[in-house]
Amino acid sequence: MPDTAGTVGTAQIAVTGLAVMGRNLARNLARNGFRVAVHNRTTSRAEALVEEFGHEGDLTLARSMEELVASLERPRRIIVMVKAGASTDAVLDELLPLLDEGDIVADAGNAYWRDTVRRHDALAEKGVRFAGVGVSGGEVGALEGPSIMPGCDGDTYGELGPFLEIISAHVDDEPCCTLIGPDGSGHFVKMVHNGIEYADMQLIAETYDLLRGSAGLAPADIADTFRAWNDTELESYLVEITAEVLAHTDSSTGRPFVDVVRDAAEQKGTGRWTVQTALDLGVPVTAIAEATMARAVSGDTARRDAVREALEFGAEPPGGAVTVDDLRQALYAAKIVAYAQGLDMVREGSQQQGWDVDPADLARIWRDGCIIRARLLGDITEAVEEHPDAPSLLATPTFAAAVSDRLPALRRVVSAAVGSGVPAPVFSSVLSYVDALRAERLPAALVQGLRDYFGAHTYERVDRDGTFHTLWSEGAAEVEAG
């Protein structure tokens, strides 16, 4: 292996943090003709990368952060790919004294967007430009072309964007990468993307559970069903790999792979961040919230065991009729709602933060490379572009019709789940959300009355303007609250 440490001013871009995602991103850059400097806290990992994949392109080994910075042309461009949180701050603390005004640091990890805003402001005080870059696609996407969501200033994107656009996935020669907006917008959008991903995966899991528990299909048969569905409007990466997972047989036991995997789903925090941020924004993302809670319930195995043992179930539930076609229709309708809620959240977050994020851009760059890529996104792009002022994706003609046509099937699926005792929290929440949006009157009027009774929180009337309070302990006389 040639010793290239200490080469000065020749690399165009650097990657520090060479776990799977960082390593593959560095290889992607080198494969596309860029001169790439690579660094890792454990030097042997960087050495191994250059040794094994140096033939793919121009990879410069840096054994220290000082060597990494020295190896770069100016303005320096450094991509940080380390664990979110304290590890990212530690890398930035080490880098900052070595950088000059105008240099660029891009955090391409799964950072919390508020941390990105903080880091952007802190580095700006030192004259260093900072980009929060959302990257989706997993390890294969990082190598072959991910969907990339950069948040930074326009001049920073002018320096960094050409690198990111070239290595991203492409649809019809269009990169799945665009400037999302300033400071934390890229990581905010990536967070919402991951929230939609949570909902999508949970919906697929609930569909599998109903196909097995209510329709009585074996995993191999369900795999064939998902494989067939991938040739319909449900075509997507997640539906495709669901068929692969369900068709897999465990080599040591001969049982379906899905039966030997512990039924406790983990999470790295992005779903939780999405729900917490949605609450702060006041945006209902019920599908994402229920999917996040479903993972929490699955992991709460001690409580599950205790309740299962203690709770009297009595006779088996009578079950309900569910068909494969009902589930296909319900899954598509529910996916639409999950995307709609995510886009609602992006709109509100963008408005409150002053980011000016274009939802059509998101649908466009999510069409390939990312985990939630799907045929559906092409239709979403068209709908959002044609109806930019629609308050919801569900208010556009295309998707209003799509959901309306499938509501009877969704209702039958939820009824079957309840009748069969099969938990379907996201399907149920989607139906309740749609029914709430469609309702002419909601029981929130009673909630307002109760709040006014015990806390004098006031209310508005439907027949005249103003804010009112009822003197409940004084003969229930109504007064204007001013």
Side-chain angles (χ1 to χ4, degrees), residues 438-462:
R438 294 170 64 243
E440 195 167 322
R441 288 277 291 173
L442 290 170
L446 176 57
V447 173
Q448 285 296 84
L450 296 172
R451 293 178 70 243
D452 187 64
Y453 192 108
F454 67 71
H457 291 297
T458 74
Y459 52 88
E460 295 176 340
R461 296 178 59 97
V462 299

Side-chain angles (χ1 to χ4, degrees), residues 200-221:
D200 202 344
M201 283 194 288
Q202 179 63 25
L203 283 166
I204 287 172
E206 291 176 17
T207 302
Y208 151 77
D209 207 16
L210 284 161
L211 284 168
R212 193 166 188 185
S214 184
L217 299 183
D221 297 322

Side-chain angles (χ1 to χ4, degrees), residues 212 218-220 245-250 253-261:
R212 193 166 188 185
V245 172
L246 289 173
H248 183 52
T249 300
D250 177 54
T253 65
R255 298 170 61 192
F257 170 75
V258 74
D259 285 348
V260 301
V261 175

Side-chain angles (χ1 to χ4, degrees), residues 339-481:
Y339 279 93
Q341 291 180 353
L343 292 178
D344 289 346
M345 183 173 172
V346 169
R347 286 191 189 93
E348 186 63 28
S350 175
Q351 181 178 342
Q352 291 194 23
Q353 295 295 320
W355 285 332
D356 197 24
V357 177
D358 185 350
D361 282 345
L362 309 189
R364 192 178 302 109
I365 67 173
W366 289 344
R367 288 179 298 166
D368 199 9
C370 70
I371 303 302
I372 63 171
R373 59 187 183 266
R375 181 191 298 186
L376 170 64
L377 282 161
D379 294 333
I380 291 177
T381 302
E382 292 180 11
V384 174
E385 287 178 340
E386 291 175 6
H387 305 278
D389 296 326
S392 167
L393 188 66
L394 302 180
T396 64
T398 296
F399 289 106
V403 173
S404 293
D405 290 347
R406 292 164 176 82
L407 261 183
L410 177 58
R411 207 172 296 282
R412 288 192 294 271
V413 164
V414 173
S415 296
V418 172
S420 301
V422 176
V426 181
F427 272 129
S428 301
S429 74
V430 164
L431 181 58
S432 293
Y433 176 76
V434 173
D435 282 343
L437 292 181
R438 294 170 64 243
E440 195 167 322
R441 288 277 291 173
L442 290 170
L446 176 57
V447 173
Q448 285 296 84
L450 296 172
R451 293 178 70 243
D452 187 64
Y453 192 108
F454 67 71
H457 291 297
T458 74
Y459 52 88
E460 295 176 340
R461 296 178 59 97
V462 299
D463 54 354
R464 61 181 185 268
D465 294 335
T467 304
F468 301 89
H469 169 55
T470 292
L471 303 172
W472 298 100
S473 60
E474 301 176 34
E478 183 178 78
V479 297
E480 288 197 37

Side-chain angles (χ1 to χ4, degrees), residues 67-87:
E67 285 185 4
L68 183 76
V69 172
S71 71
L72 289 162
E73 65 182 22
R74 298 185 182 183
R76 303 178 180 99
R77 309 172 191 91
I78 302 172
I79 297 175
V80 177
M81 288 292 290
V82 300
K83 188 175 180 180
S87 296

Side-chain angles (χ1 to χ4, degrees), residues 5 50 55 62 101 118-119 125 132 138 151 165 171 174 177 189 194 226 243 256 274 328 332 349 395 453 464 474:
V50 175
H55 65 280
E101 185 173 346
R118 169 178 58 80
R119 291 164 182 149
E125 291 181 0
E165 290 181 7
V171 176
E174 187 177 26
C177 172
V189 165
N194 283 22
F226 275 96
T274 307
R328 176 185 63 80
Y332 186 63
Y453 192 108
R464 61 181 185 268
E474 301 176 34

